[in-house]
Amino acid sequence: MTMLTREEIEQGLSENRNSPNGAARNAHAEVLVGAAEAIGDAALFRTALDNLINAYLWSAESSKMLVPFARLLQEYDKDPGAFGRWDAHSLFWQFKWVATAISDSPEIPLESAVGWLDEMERRYRIAGYSERPVRESELWLADAIGQDDRAERAHQAWLAADRDDMSDCHACELNGQGAYAVLRGDDARALELWQPVLAGERTCAEEPHRLLATSLLPLLRLGRFDEARSHHVRGYRMARGNESLLPSIAKHIEFCALSGNESRGLEILAEHAAHMSPLVNVDDQMAFHGGILVLLRRLTELGHGQSPAVPYDGVPHTVSELYEVLRASSLQIARRFDARNGTTRVSDRFLARIGREPLVGVLPLGVRSTALPQPAAAVDAPAAATVPAPPAADFEELVERARQAREQRHPAADALWAEVGVRVDARPEDGVDPLLAADVADQRALTAARGGAGNAAELLEAVRDRYRALGQAERAALAELRLASAAAQSGAEPQRIRELLAVALKAAEALDAEEPLRGRRIALAELSSIRVESYLRSLEAGPEHEHLHEPGQDHGHGELAAELGAFVAAYAQDLPDLAAEAEEMLGRVALSQGEPERALPLLASSASRAVSAGLPWQAVDALVLRAGVLMSVERPEEAEEAARSALEHSAEVTEAETQGVVRLTFADILLRRADAAAEAAEHALTAAHWFDQAGLTADGGAQARLVLARAYAREGRHADAAEVLQSTLPDLLEHGEGQAVSVREFLGDLLRQLNDSRAAAEQYLLAAEVAKGWEDPRPQAALAQAAAEQLSTARLDQEALAAYERSLELFRMAGDAPIAEVRILRSLAWMAPRGDTSAAAWARARDLMDQAAGVLETALAENAETGEGQAVPQLRAELAQTWLQLAQVLDRRVTSHEQAADEDGGDDEDGDEDGGEGQGSRRAEVDTEALRLEEIELTARAGDLYAELGPDHLGDRLQCVQYAAWTEEEIGRAEAGAARLSVLIEELRAMPEGVPEDLLERAQSALDSLRS
């Protein structure tokens, strides 16, 4: 093998430091240590050892750092003087990592672990460092070996010791202090300690990543569900895919298992399946597998034990099999720790962890997850039910409740009858009342008809005949009506449907005059006939008339409206609930005719009738529809009132889809208010959950998550919003090009807020690709511009240039977009000298700024000719900004030239220069004083223009005057610069309307600095 040179090792070390954490980086670092040792360069060897220790730390192989650290410590003992101040500090800092690694390595005897701790204390004392890190390390070792008194003493000593250069950052220390509080059963104290980290006030490389995960179960235990949800969504995004954070990943999996989100836990496990194999750091392995075991146990309890799980060490397993494998291997590790420590504490805590019970039934998370499949029925399940029949009194009460709910058309009727059916099936056939058996059959036939079952008509006919035989004429009449409805639903011939409707009406009319339900049965038959007949008329009119509801065209709606109006008038007093149904239909007819103002009172009246009739759940659909119509006619306050009423009246509604629709409507309306984002998020979250329950995750669920993401974004919760949106993005992209562009742009905006420039640019470019075929090129142009800005931020210069140029081309194609065109030209100007400081690059930057000014001057001239002055102030402000930015470009050129001259040790006598300008070619002379004078002239001109634009641009004007003043100082004219600022300050103080105090303070501070 060829020996690496010193230069190759140094290059390798530089590359290794910037490589992704993990086994590949570690292996490369190990090679570099060997190479450095082989060439006998002691300094390079020490650097390579330090690099290897850091590589191990940020991976799942952290316990391997002991060997290189011991070797580095030997180097220090041989020649402490060879270690510079920073090198020595780094060595002592790594002692803390090693103390943790020793505690986490069961193969290291307890005596050795204690010895290393003593050695750390001795060396820190000699070096003059505080004992604070030593006592923290002692705390965790004492806790692991069950010496609780010693742990508490170490805890108190840790807190009492001074902080110094060797102390962990505040975020890491707060993590440890809170973790100790959790061990002592004080979740509330832990969360109090963690708050500065969780709030982002204290951060480091792995915080708040770790604490967001660690806080999940304490939050659940305290019932702080909203915070737990947010910490999971935000924290998992930060930890995902990070090998050194596998214990944190496990906490997210465990949280999902204990909050009714098992499917989400499975998805997280699948994303990290590559790390399932045994790890070098066995403590991390036990922590990682512990969280997975909680999930696997829950899945088994839910009947998914025989479902396939992720492979382990390349071998496929079912959920139950994987549980047994991981449990056995983890317990083996735990017992190795126990054997070393002389206690059972590690295994006791591990067993307690994997045996935890759920802390909440279902906590909706907002993010989309694929629902778990229904577990297959056990093959050895008994054919007949063995559950004993309930006591007669309870059963009779259940039947009575079911019959009352049926008559009221209460939403709970279906569930009650389903329970009655289960109990009836469990009884001997000869022990069931014939009428009750008929009622159960009736409910099952109705369910079949609603679901479009092929045998629905046969079931309904059988129910009708049973009721007739039992002398239940009014129930038989209702069955006749259901037969007609089922025929219409199944697409029977119109003549056949009409015949069945006639039979149903005749059956209702034939009921005994003393029958209390006779009037209701007749009214139901009439209303059904009106509804079905309207459908049949549209069907017979031909496909060219179907679904045509242009304003001013009747298409049979006039006749339908007249029939419904007559029905309402006839039954408003005696049967208000049926009148409410008819009135809701009237409202829908008005909407189909393009008359929202006529529909609104009809829908309001329908809801009011239903509530007055004691059937508030029947008002929900009308109120939801009314809320949507009110929003369409710009009456948001009334819309919110209607939606809030719908939510209130939906309390007893059992249909998941309806619950989802009500909440989504309400959330969407609330989001239009500037101050209701939190409430909108709450209802959108619940809506998504209900749509998931209804099996509509890709439809209503996707729209609910979109509203949820927008609500989160409004609250400034950009990470939460991005996670929610990304989880449902594939669903949203299926809802048309317009929405596809909108949601990708929204996601790009969120990622930009999170400083993920590459990912943001990708979303903008994908959105632009969808918009490419649109007639109007401006949306594509704006998206290309947004992508270019993010590509530029990510330092992907070539890609950014291409995107800017495409955007410029599109805006010019669209015409009438001078401001967008100018902003792109200015961005291109700034990019021109990036990485190329040749004279040609600076000339191109100036030319682009001049082009931008020219575009604005042309637009201003055109506005003057047409007399359209609305855009003039913005155009003039952009012109002032362009002059200011040209001055800033010139300043950068001067600065670049001066820096290059300093690096060269001054200009050559003949004026030729190499380096910064020309990229290796000869650098042109630069008249820096002329450029500075031009900067002053440009900023003064910009300031004057801002002054003409009025008080709204005082801040911009101050920026220009400050810039000119400091540039005067650069060329030795500080007094002239101070005079500029003094004039502005006096003018600001004399303004009758006053100016913001901070503006005056900024101006005075700049003046004081110039005069100092």
Side-chain angles (χ1 to χ4, degrees), residues 323-403:
Y323 176 83
E324 295 300 332
V325 170
L326 296 187
R327 186 179 186 277
S329 62
S330 297
L331 276 176
Q332 185 180 39
I333 294 171
R335 285 165 183 153
R336 286 167 58 195
F337 275 107
D338 288 346
R340 195 245 344 231
N341 298 339
T343 74
T344 61
R345 170 155 289 184
V346 173
S347 57
D348 288 345
R349 284 180 175 171
F350 179 78
L351 289 170
R353 178 188 188 185
I354 66 173
R356 284 172 177 154
E357 294 298 325
L359 295 167
V360 60
V362 177
L363 177 65
L365 299 177
V367 290
R368 187 198 197 285
S369 289
T370 303
L372 291 174
Q374 289 297 316
V379 294
D380 58 347
T386 58
V387 179
D394 292 345
F395 182 63
E396 288 170 3
E397 181 185 347
L398 175 64
V399 171
E400 182 60 27
R401 287 174 55 207
R403 283 175 172 158

Side-chain angles (χ1 to χ4, degrees), residues 670-998:
L670 287 170
L671 198 56
R672 314 294 175 94
R673 267 178 42 196
D675 60 345
E679 189 179 2
E682 175 189 346
H683 292 293
L685 178 70
T686 311
H689 171 70
W690 281 113
F691 281 124
D692 290 347
Q693 296 300 304
L696 298 170
T697 298
D699 299 305
Q703 299 306 319
R705 288 182 171 89
L706 177 56
V707 173
L708 176 61
R710 294 197 184 283
Y712 280 159
R714 183 82 60 80
E715 291 185 273
R717 296 168 58 180
H718 298 110
D720 298 50
E723 277 295 292
V724 169
L725 190 60
Q726 283 180 308
S727 74
T728 197
L729 186 63
D731 299 326
L732 293 169
L733 296 178
E734 297 299 318
H735 291 264
E737 286 188 352
Q739 179 158 282
V741 168
S742 173
V743 297
R744 284 204 184 277
E745 182 180 15
F746 178 31
L747 181 55
D749 293 344
L750 293 172
L751 294 168
R752 175 173 53 81
Q753 291 286 345
L754 295 170
N755 298 317
D756 195 345
S757 299
R758 286 179 180 239
E762 179 185 8
Q763 292 303 321
Y764 291 136
L765 290 172
L766 289 168
E769 186 65 23
V770 175
K772 187 176 1 183
W774 293 1
E775 184 177 348
D776 184 355
R778 284 175 295 184
Q780 185 190 355
L783 289 163
Q785 182 182 4
E789 290 167 357
Q790 293 307 299
L791 289 166
S792 177
T793 301
R795 312 299 288 188
L796 298 170
D797 293 347
Q798 294 305 311
E799 294 87 344
L801 284 170
Y804 272 130
E805 288 168 0
R806 177 58 177 159
S807 178
L808 184 62
E809 177 187 359
L810 289 165
F811 274 124
R812 285 174 171 169
M813 188 188 306
D816 196 28
I819 291 175
E821 188 177 341
V822 162
R823 289 177 178 175
I824 294 170
L825 287 167
R826 292 199 304 241
S827 296
L828 287 169
W830 281 108
M831 291 193 69
R834 184 186 286 181
D836 176 11
T837 55
S838 65
W842 292 114
R844 173 163 170 73
R846 178 189 284 272
D847 178 62
L848 287 163
M849 286 292 184
D850 288 342
Q851 286 183 46
V855 169
L856 291 165
E857 288 161 354
T858 300
L860 285 165
E862 290 173 352
N863 273 269
E865 290 177 8
T866 60
E868 297 176 3
Q870 290 183 349
V872 167
Q874 191 173 2
L875 291 169
R876 298 183 76 200
E878 290 292 333
L879 182 58
Q881 182 63 210
T882 302
W883 290 335
L884 174 60
Q885 288 196 30
L886 175 55
Q888 291 169 331
V889 167
L890 298 180
D891 175 70
R892 180 176 290 184
R893 183 177 189 190
V894 172
T895 302
S896 172
H897 173 79
E898 291 173 346
Q899 288 175 344
D902 289 342
E903 291 171 4
D904 291 346
D907 293 349
D908 295 336
E909 290 182 5
D910 60 1
D912 292 336
E913 303 162 338
D914 56 6
E917 300 204 20
Q919 293 187 312
S921 62
R922 301 168 75 82
R923 194 168 59 242
E925 289 188 31
V926 176
D927 188 341
T928 57
E929 184 174 356
L931 290 175
R932 290 298 191 197
L933 289 171
E934 187 176 1
E935 287 178 52
I936 295 169
E937 190 273 330
L938 285 165
T939 50
R941 195 193 319 168
D944 291 343
L945 187 47
Y946 278 131
E948 294 173 17
L949 289 168
D952 289 345
H953 291 276
L954 283 176
D956 298 314
R957 185 182 174 195
L958 173 59
Q959 182 185 9
C960 293
V961 174
Q962 282 180 306
Y963 197 110
W966 281 109
T967 309
E968 296 266 26
E969 197 269 347
E970 286 278 345
I971 59 175
R973 298 184 345 196
E975 283 303 316
R980 288 178 183 273
L981 272 168
S982 296
V983 169
L984 177 60
I985 289 170
E986 291 305 315
E987 184 181 337
L988 293 176
R989 286 176 175 158
M991 285 185 176
E993 65 274 19
V995 296
E997 190 64 31
D998 66 318

Side-chain angles (χ1 to χ4, degrees), residues 547-583:
H547 311 300
L548 295 176
H549 307 307
E550 295 88 345
Q553 296 192 29
D554 188 278
H555 303 303
H557 289 115
E559 185 176 355
L560 174 60
E563 292 170 346
L564 290 169
F567 184 91
V568 172
Y571 292 106
Q573 296 301 318
D574 297 332
L575 297 168
D577 59 319
L578 295 183
E581 260 191 68
E583 213 156 25

